[in-house]
């Protein structure tokens, strides 16, 4: 195999969940497969919290070995981790760059709609897009934009709620939608994999919680879109 000239660093939040950790490794493998026809791109993982290797350490090592390093955050909204942790990791190096979060994006809206259909949700049922949540207004704005994109694809209204930091909380949003007797409330999970936040969605009182987006084809496509948008 030719020596790598570029590196793509898929940077996740990090989780203690074995299943959540495996999703990141599976995404690395899926992106490697998608890039196999391109010459010399190294794909690897990094993290901003909970797990190692930390993104700053990975970037500092790679810039000594390849011509160009691109960090793609595996986060769906542009909160603190994207705008501070990842930005700080690449800032010292002229050959290192970071992209925006994976969302908001029509591709992510397609993936969310796919997960709703897989869960048996219909357009006459209430849907809440559940984001992890952030104290930064940019992240909240991203989540609301993603909810509007999902509503356009889904063909029905979509509310938005947050697992932490922002309001409304997911349980509050679920309770507010129980106004019509017999109407199910579904959560569209704007999460990559299982872990702390997904457990909170399961406990929120919703009738249906979709599977995390994981290695959905649209997620892989969006990663490549972010990667190709740099340089």
């Amino acid at each position: 195999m030719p020596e790598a000239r570029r590196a793509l660093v898929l940077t996740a939040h990090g989780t203690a969940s074995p299943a959540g950790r495996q999703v990141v490794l599976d995404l690395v493998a899926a992106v490697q497969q998608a890039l196999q026809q391109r010459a010399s791109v190294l794909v690897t993982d990094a993290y901003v919290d909970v797990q190692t290797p930390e993104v700053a350490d990975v970037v500092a090592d790679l810039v000594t070995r390849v011509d160009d390093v691109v960090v793609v955050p595996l986060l769906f909204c542009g909160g603190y981790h994207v705008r501070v942790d990842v930005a700080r990791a690449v800032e010292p190096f002229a050959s290192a760059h970071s992209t925006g979060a994976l969302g908001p994006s029509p591709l992510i809206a397609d993936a969310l709609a796919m997960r709703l259909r897989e869960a048996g949700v219909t357009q006459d049922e209430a849907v809440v897009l559940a984001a992890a949540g952030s104290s930064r207004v940019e992240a909240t704005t991203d989540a609301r934009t993603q909810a509007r994109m999902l509503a356009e694809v889904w063909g029905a209204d979509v509310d938005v709620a947050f697992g932490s930091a922002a309001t409304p909380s997911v349980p509050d949003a679920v309770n507010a939608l129980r106004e019509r007797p017999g109407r199910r409330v579904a959560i569209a999970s704007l999460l990559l994999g299982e872990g702390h936040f997904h457990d909170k969605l399961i406990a929120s009182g919703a009738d249906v919680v979709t599977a995390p987006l994981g290695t959905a084809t649209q997620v892989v496509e969006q990663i490549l879109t972010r990667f190709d948008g740099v340089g």
Side-chain angles (χ1 to χ4, degrees), residues 146-157:
Q146 189 66 72
R148 288 194 295 272
M149 290 180 173
L150 173 57
E152 292 175 4
V153 172
W154 187 239
D157 291 343

Side-chain angles (χ1 to χ4, degrees), residues 66-145:
V66 298
D67 296 333
D68 182 42
V69 177
V70 178
V71 178
V72 176
L74 299 181
L75 301 161
F76 295 104
C77 299
Y80 182 89
H81 292 307
V82 174
R83 295 177 180 272
V84 178
D85 291 331
V86 172
R88 284 176 177 169
V90 302
E91 193 276 333
F93 309 105
S95 62
H97 315 277
S98 63
T99 73
L102 293 181
S105 160
L107 281 168
I108 300 305
D110 288 343
L112 290 162
M114 178 185 72
R115 289 287 188 254
L116 285 167
R117 290 191 296 270
E118 290 171 349
V121 181
T122 60
Q123 279 79 7
D124 61 344
E125 295 173 315
V127 173
V128 179
L129 175 71
S134 170
S135 60
R136 294 185 69 103
V137 66
E138 305 99 317
T140 303
T141 298
D142 284 350
R144 297 189 187 284
T145 300

Side-chain angles (χ1 to χ4, degrees), residues 5 9 25 28-29 34-35 37 44-45 48 53 59 67 75 85 96 134 137-138 162 186 197 207 209 228 231:
R5 307 296 295 178
V9 183
L25 300 180
V28 169
L35 290 172
Q37 300 303 321
T44 191
D45 59 318
V48 294
V59 171
D67 296 333
L75 301 161
D85 291 331
S134 170
V137 66
E138 305 99 317
F162 303 91
F197 284 112
D207 300 292
V209 178
D228 290 338

